[in-house]
Amino acid sequence: MNPAHDLLALYDDQLRRAARPDGPGCRIERAGPVVRQTGPAHAWNGVLWSGLDDGTADAAVAAQLAHYRAEGVPFEWKLYGHDGPADLGARLLAAGFEAEEPETLLVAEASAQAGPVDLPDGVELRDVTDPEGVRRVVEVHERAFGTDSSDLGRRLLDRLAADPGTVTAVLALADGVPVSAARLELYPGTDFAGLWGGGTVEEWRGRGLYRALVAHRARVAAAHGHRWLQVDAAPTSRPILQRLGFVPLTTTTPYVHA
């Protein structure tokens, strides 16, 4: 019996093969050996799961390209390290996709992470419930990551308006100024909740805010009955999360097509 292997199989079953739409206007489609999400241009569009082999991979890749071209939206093929065939990444590159930085799928028990939230003096956590809070989350993300986060803001506003029980966001405020932000995706009917978007502005890094936001979201996840936290961790956050007790299951690489 391999606990990590069993947990990865559970993750695949619940969050990939049986995925649910992650926002209003989105739909999950099962097209043969592929599970994908299709939605508005500001939504996440892409392939969540595939069960391919040497004989079916090229046709499936061509079919997804045709589908999203007809929809008029860019999309991502979210390729996990254990997906087949072994050369699927190379096939995606040959079809015109571009590979972004690989991440590591990490998991931990929510109850084990839901400890006390230890904050620096002058810092408080505030749940995001309105457009002004979303604007401040976007502000933090753009300062922390140096990228345009406007689509993130639109998705978060959509979710808070249409299905607030499946997402929560939190800000860390230093004397009223937003300096860190993160969100929690709750997947109803599954054992998992997802940690996403943890970012801290440069001058506040290394002061425990990232760990505090993990603990805060772990409490919320556990209170909603989710046993496991999952994170697609960048190389910068993976060491922090592993020190907190998260364990790696596999890698995931975004292959994007404009």
Side-chain angles (χ1 to χ4, degrees):
M1 187 172 179
N2 185 328
H5 180 272
D6 293 343
L7 191 53
L8 181 58
L10 183 68
Y11 175 90
D12 281 346
D13 285 342
Q14 293 189 350
L15 296 192
R16 300 182 70 202
R17 281 191 285 266
R20 299 183 182 191
D22 71 357
C26 297
R27 62 188 186 273
I28 296 295
E29 301 165 318
R30 291 163 179 84
V34 168
V35 177
R36 68 191 179 212
Q37 176 167 285
T38 305
H42 68 275
W44 185 88
N45 286 277
V47 173
L48 292 156
W49 177 85
S50 63
L52 305 174
D53 57 29
D54 288 336
T56 59
D58 289 339
V61 170
Q64 305 322 304
L65 286 168
H67 168 75
Y68 287 106
R69 188 179 301 116
E71 292 289 330
V73 293
F75 74 106
E76 173 185 322
W77 192 302
K78 194 169 175 64
L79 181 64
Y80 289 78
H82 59 293
D83 290 345
D87 66 346
L88 182 53
R91 295 177 191 236
L92 292 170
L93 292 174
F97 288 77
E98 293 186 4
E100 296 187 344
E101 185 175 49
E103 298 175 324
T104 303
L105 173 62
L106 300 171
V107 296
E109 291 213 42
S111 60
Q113 298 297 321
V117 177
D118 187 18
L119 295 168
D121 290 341
V123 175
E124 64 171 326
L125 300 186
R126 186 173 299 172
D127 290 328
V128 173
T129 59
D130 58 18
E132 174 59 18
V134 171
R135 185 195 66 76
R136 298 177 115 192
V137 169
V138 170
E139 174 190 324
V140 169
H141 276 257
E142 292 184 340
R143 289 176 61 197
F145 301 119
T147 57
D148 181 354
S149 297
S150 55
D151 280 352
L152 165 65
R154 293 184 65 186
R155 292 195 297 269
L156 188 51
L157 284 171
D158 284 350
R159 291 281 292 279
L160 288 172
D163 203 1
T166 64
V167 64
T168 183
V170 59
L171 282 163
L173 304 175
D175 297 320
V177 177
V179 294
S180 189
R183 71 188 191 278
L184 173 71
E185 302 275 346
L186 299 165
Y187 308 121
T190 79
D191 295 295
F192 295 90
L195 304 185
W196 296 94
T200 301
V201 301
E202 186 173 3
E203 60 268 29
W204 275 89
R205 291 172 188 165
R207 300 174 68 175
L209 295 185
Y210 186 93
R211 293 190 296 276
L213 293 181
V214 169
H216 176 84
R217 289 175 290 167
R219 287 184 181 180
V220 176
H224 282 79
H226 297 283
R227 180 179 178 184
W228 299 102
L229 300 173
Q230 62 88 198
V231 189
D232 291 350
T236 51
S237 56
R238 174 177 173 171
I240 303 170
L241 290 163
Q242 288 192 269
R243 286 196 296 271
L244 292 175
F246 284 75
V247 296
L249 295 184
T250 187
T251 60
T252 177
T253 303
Y255 285 79
V256 296
H257 198 280

